[in-house]
Amino acid sequence: MRLAGLLAGTGGPLKRAMVDVVPTTTARACANIALVKYWGKRDARLNLPAAGSLSLTLEALVTTTQVAFDAGLAADELVLDGRAAAPAELARVSAFLDLVRAAAGIATRARVASRNQFPTASGLASSASGYAALAVAATGAAGVALSPRALSVLARRGSGSAARSVFGGFVRMHAGRDGDSDGAFAEPIASPLTERARIAIAVVGGGVAKAHGSRDAMDHTAATSPLYRAWLELVPRDLAAAEAALAAGDLEQLGAIAEGNALAMHASAIAARPAVVYWQPATLAALAEVRALRAAGRAAWATIDAGPHVKVLTSAADAQPVAAALRGVAGVTDVSISAAGGPAAIVTDREGSHRAS
Ligand code: DP6
């Protein structure tokens, strides 16, 4: 926030007179589902991915985040879904805000409130939509104008998958090279499939908290899995094939790549020592149902992230019957359907929230 930023270091009567108005910027971002997964880093400090990835942004999974840089604060504050965040979450957000403060040339602390509007009990709380919304809201509040690409690079510093949630529709993430932070950014991919694609989200086990966070699990896989090297060799091939499928509007081809890629990612994690196994019995039952749906002529291909839930790539025409079939799988507790979502965006810019002086 430019005003507080300018005032933060100045002190004196000017500061006291003008600090009453604390502009608040609100932004929203949608979560995304990777069809070619990001699983492994080459640099933890800059959060640089070891390989590229490809995703679909989902309109049904939205995070809304409000940021106000307030010269009256001694420390950053973070409220998540109405509750004060845990110290580790606050520390991670604070480190991210430090990047925004550095770009703005300010030292002012911020008040952040973030809310996930995800389907009931989805268990899909997402760092992707969270850090994309935070990147947009915090830069807006700090008065830092960034290009969409630079916003994607910034969001990546918060969470790798967040770089993709800056954009709508299908999105490719470039790995970049070596230590070059600016080379690891996402960008949208136009495709005739954007209108047609749907994701059916089958929640397994009532959305219980996952046993291994994706960040630790991908590091552990990279460090110990004998299949990790094979995973890294596979990703560029899957990316090229997925992009060709998107260009051709070939949902079947895209789906086959997405399902194979997700299973390969999980194979690498399962082979880590000790193993990282996200699947529950209902995960396998849902995978079997997806294969049965395909055998019956439906468009249905599964993908799974760092948890037990199964997300099914399908078409607008087949989404309802696919969701109905998934609802019939024992252990699947909730199924929702999402179309492609739009880019992260500011909802309200620098609304003045007035404080009594
Ligand atoms: C399985 O983006 O959460 O969802 O960069 O450490 O925050 P960090 O990891 P994160 O990892 C996402 C892993 C995944 C696959 C994907 O979204 O590509």
Side-chain angles (χ1 to χ4, degrees):
M1 193 278 288
R2 231 180 330 239
L3 184 61
L6 287 172
L7 294 171
T10 58
L14 181 63
K15 178 178 179 179
R16 223 165 294 124
M18 295 183 67
V19 83
D20 295 344
V21 177
V22 181
T24 301
T25 299
T26 305
R28 75 197 293 280
C30 300
N32 69 77
I33 297 293
L35 301 175
V36 177
K37 304 292 185 193
Y38 150 51
W39 195 245
K41 303 173 197 287
R42 69 176 190 278
D43 182 312
R45 190 181 67 82
L46 292 171
N47 207 26
L48 292 166
S53 56
L54 187 148
S55 61
L56 179 61
T57 298
L58 299 182
E59 72 170 355
L61 310 181
V62 178
T63 299
T64 305
T65 300
Q66 237 178 30
V67 177
F69 286 96
D70 183 343
L73 291 174
D76 292 322
E77 293 177 0
L78 174 63
V79 173
L80 293 176
D81 288 325
R83 291 197 197 129
E89 288 167 316
L90 174 60
R92 186 167 161 187
V93 162
S94 228
F96 183 82
L97 290 170
D98 285 343
L99 301 172
V100 177
R101 280 187 280 261
I106 63 174
T108 321
R109 303 290 116 181
R111 186 177 295 114
V112 178
S114 189
R115 199 167 275 284
N116 288 323
Q117 292 142 24
F118 284 19
T120 322
S122 71
L124 295 162
S126 171
S127 60
S129 50
Y131 277 95
L134 182 60
V136 173
T139 52
V144 178
L146 294 182
S147 67
R149 178 179 294 192
L151 267 175
S152 175
V153 167
L154 174 65
R156 188 204 77 228
R157 299 289 298 274
S159 188
S161 51
R164 301 186 310 241
S165 274
V166 168
F167 300 101
F170 289 102
V171 177
R172 73 161 76 82
M173 175 78 196
H174 296 279
R177 277 168 202 270
D178 306 322
D180 175 23
S181 182
D182 293 343
F185 61 88
E187 63 185 355
I189 311 174
S191 168
L193 293 181
T194 308
E195 291 293 306
R196 231 177 98 206
R198 297 287 183 278
I199 298 278
I201 302 162
V203 175
V204 164
V208 289
K210 59 193 175 194
H212 315 271
S214 48
R215 179 162 289 191
D216 290 346
M218 70 172 74
D219 289 351
H220 174 66
T221 301
T224 69
S225 175
L227 303 189
Y228 183 66
R229 189 180 290 268
W231 160 253
L232 283 186
E233 282 168 12
L234 171 72
V235 172
R237 292 204 299 274
D238 278 352
L239 283 173
E243 290 200 25
L246 285 176
D250 188 338
L251 187 64
E252 186 169 353
Q253 177 67 8
L254 181 68
I257 294 155
E259 187 168 304
N261 184 269
L263 295 176
M265 178 201 113
H266 283 270
S268 75
I270 288 167
R273 299 178 184 196
V276 176
V277 183
Y278 286 111
W279 299 351
Q280 294 179 12
T283 309
L284 287 167
L287 285 175
E289 184 58 44
V290 167
R291 286 193 296 272
L293 281 161
R294 271 207 305 274
R298 297 291 184 192
W301 298 271
T303 182
I304 307 167
D305 289 315
H309 316 298
V310 177
K311 293 103 177 196
V312 180
L313 176 65
T314 182
S315 62
D318 281 350
Q320 292 299 344
V322 164
L326 291 168
R327 280 188 193 106
V329 174
V332 168
T333 53
D334 185 65
V335 180
S336 55
I337 298 168
S338 183
I346 291 202
V347 182
T348 56
D349 199 8
R350 293 168 167 240
E351 265 185 334
S353 57
H354 294 262
R355 280 191 329 179
S357 48

